[in-house]
Amino acid sequence: MKDLTLARKWRPISFQDISGQEHVIESLSYCLHEGKLHHTYLFSGSHGVGKTTIARIFSKGMSCKSGITDHPCNRCDNCTEIQNGSFIDLIEVDAASKSKIEHIKEILDNSEYLPAKGKFKIFLIDEVHMLSRYSFNALLKKLEEPPEHIKFLLATTNPEKLPSTIISRCLHFQLNILSEEKICDRLERIFLCENVQNDLSSRKLIARLSGGSLRDALNISEQVISVGKGKISKDLIIDIIGIPDEDCSFQIMKSIAQNDFKKMMSIVEEFSKRSGNWDKLLSSLLNFIHEIIIAKFLQNDRAHYKEIHKNIWIMLNLIKSTEDLYFYYHTILSGRKNISFSPTRRIGVEVTLCKAITKFNFSDVSNKSKSST
């Protein structure tokens, strides 16, 4: 197991190990417990939230030698082979690399044969939205009148790209992105088992950077652990991933609010020496402005009064106008969208911040030119 990545080593092997998808697990468990199985299931959601993992566990439930069950034994040959990716009656297809009609025809031809070891022949098609139009038409014909021994498990990050005729023939389960709290809890348990030194602030930062994907959180963790030699700290994460720390975003916004151009540019220069991940800088600024906006609405609410950070209070005193906060947010958001069109990303960031500090609005210029004509 030592040669496995954290994401593979700690991939859930039963429904009880799945985090944050209770609505999906309850429904699938009921289907297995009652033996009421549909012929096609569609799992959609962001990457790293457990689509294929849940599909494999569901396959165990349909194939376990103890019978159809929502608690597969994970000990019989069928369960262990599914876990290892070698079960003959579970055919996994990556539609991103096998999207052509000949690939699907090969699968559909294979579906005519009865299962060799399990009760069903199961086809797990990942990133199914990548199939060609002709492949979808061929698949649709099979979904309309599927043999009783066939089950299709479809997974996708883009369900909106699937034909409605396909979706209408599936039981569709939409998986949620995981909350930072659930990712933190999961990381705490994993780090304890792996003897990784860490603290709550480092786990929270990894959870925030993961964007709701447990797999991404584990990949980030593994990268930091390898450099930190078994230790994880907030400062180490910031250095390795190349993200600005909280003080950097605060100091930039403070200099903008105080119209201190030299201070703003000196912070940008210092950041370029440490990281140079300009997209992360703008993203961090957007998150910080979002916190200020929310705090502005909650500052008179005693229940949330103590939760407002000291730096946020300073910004609330410097920026009185809600309109200014919205302007800063949309200016930096626009700059982030257009950063790839700048001569360099640094230039794009610097011009964006200059626009923010001068409160330059292209629409105002356009309106003035129209009125003058």
Side-chain angles (χ1 to χ4, degrees), residues 8-40:
R8 290 185 61 195
K9 183 177 179 180
W10 289 96
R11 174 175 284 167
I13 62 172
S14 67
F15 284 142
Q16 291 69 37
D17 298 330
I18 300 291
S19 300
Q21 310 297 346
E22 290 80 6
H23 64 296
V24 176
I25 301 307
E26 287 179 9
S27 181
L28 294 178
S29 296
Y30 176 80
C31 291
L32 291 167
H33 186 266
E34 299 296 323
K36 297 178 179 179
L37 299 175
H38 198 265
H39 57 77
T40 309

Side-chain angles (χ1 to χ4, degrees), residues 189-206:
R189 293 196 298 270
I190 291 174
F191 291 162
L192 180 63
C193 294
E194 295 287 334
N195 294 317
V196 175
Q197 295 183 30
N198 67 99
D199 55 24
L200 179 59
S201 63
S202 62
R203 295 196 302 273
K204 282 186 174 181
L205 180 55
I206 292 173

Side-chain angles (χ1 to χ4, degrees), residues 76-328:
C76 69
D77 291 344
N78 292 1
C79 285
T80 54
E81 287 175 11
I82 289 175
Q83 189 66 32
N84 297 330
S86 59
F87 188 53
I88 192 171
D89 291 326
L90 175 60
I91 297 92
E92 297 193 25
V93 181
D94 179 13
S97 59
K98 295 185 177 181
S99 61
K100 296 181 180 179
I101 181 64
E102 53 265 31
H103 296 137
I104 292 299
K105 282 187 174 180
E106 182 180 349
I107 294 171
L108 298 181
D109 289 344
N110 192 352
S111 69
E112 297 300 324
Y113 298 101
L114 293 173
K117 298 182 68 175
K119 187 175 181 62
F120 304 102
K121 187 177 284 289
I122 305 167
F123 295 90
L124 171 53
I125 306 178
D126 196 14
E127 298 300 346
V128 66
H129 67 275
M130 298 290 286
L131 292 179
S132 67
R133 180 164 59 91
Y134 296 106
S135 297
F136 276 128
N137 290 337
L139 179 61
L140 179 61
K141 291 180 180 179
K142 183 61 67 173
L143 296 184
E144 286 175 340
E145 296 181 4
E148 291 185 2
H149 67 277
I150 296 296
K151 300 297 177 187
F152 285 98
L153 307 180
L154 313 179
T156 178
T157 51
N158 298 99
E160 68 278 1
K161 294 183 179 180
L162 291 177
S164 58
T165 50
I166 295 288
I167 295 178
S168 66
R169 287 162 174 79
C170 303
L171 285 186
H172 186 186
F173 295 95
Q174 295 178 301
L175 277 66
N176 302 322
I177 60 172
L178 301 183
S179 67
E180 291 184 9
E181 182 180 2
K182 287 186 180 295
I183 291 178
C184 277
D185 290 343
R186 183 69 173 167
L187 290 177
E188 184 178 18
R189 293 196 298 270
I190 291 174
F191 291 162
L192 180 63
C193 294
E194 295 287 334
N195 294 317
V196 175
Q197 295 183 30
N198 67 99
D199 55 24
L200 179 59
S201 63
S202 62
R203 295 196 302 273
K204 282 186 174 181
L205 180 55
I206 292 173
R208 179 165 63 83
L209 292 172
S210 71
S213 167
L214 183 57
R215 184 176 65 212
D216 284 0
L218 290 174
N219 288 338
I220 293 170
S221 300
E222 189 159 36
Q223 184 180 359
V224 179
I225 291 169
S226 63
V227 176
K229 297 179 180 179
K231 298 180 182 179
I232 287 181
S233 68
K234 188 175 180 180
D235 290 339
L236 188 59
I237 297 168
I238 290 171
D239 289 340
I240 293 174
I241 306 301
I243 59 173
D245 56 27
E246 293 175 3
D247 188 62
C248 179
S249 299
F250 166 63
Q251 292 297 338
I252 288 178
M253 287 308 303
K254 183 180 177 183
S255 63
I256 289 175
Q258 294 176 330
N259 201 29
D260 191 341
F261 176 78
K262 288 185 177 180
K263 179 66 180 295
M264 181 184 76
M265 295 305 289
S266 69
I267 299 170
V268 171
E269 174 63 24
E270 184 62 29
F271 177 75
S272 71
K273 294 176 182 178
R274 291 189 293 107
S275 172
N277 192 329
W278 301 106
D279 183 71
K280 292 289 187 184
L281 177 61
L282 294 183
S283 177
S284 179
L285 287 169
L286 290 171
N287 283 323
F288 187 63
I289 297 170
H290 166 257
E291 290 183 36
I292 301 171
I293 293 173
I294 298 302
K296 194 168 187 65
F297 286 97
L298 296 176
Q299 59 183 326
N300 297 322
D301 186 341
R302 289 189 177 183
H304 296 88
Y305 187 88
K306 292 183 179 180
E307 297 179 8
I308 299 177
H309 192 272
K310 180 183 70 174
N311 288 346
I312 301 296
W313 277 120
I314 294 173
M315 296 309 305
L316 288 173
N317 290 324
L318 288 174
I319 306 175
K320 302 292 186 181
S321 169
T322 306
E323 287 74 15
D324 284 349
L325 287 171
Y326 291 147
F327 173 80
Y328 293 143

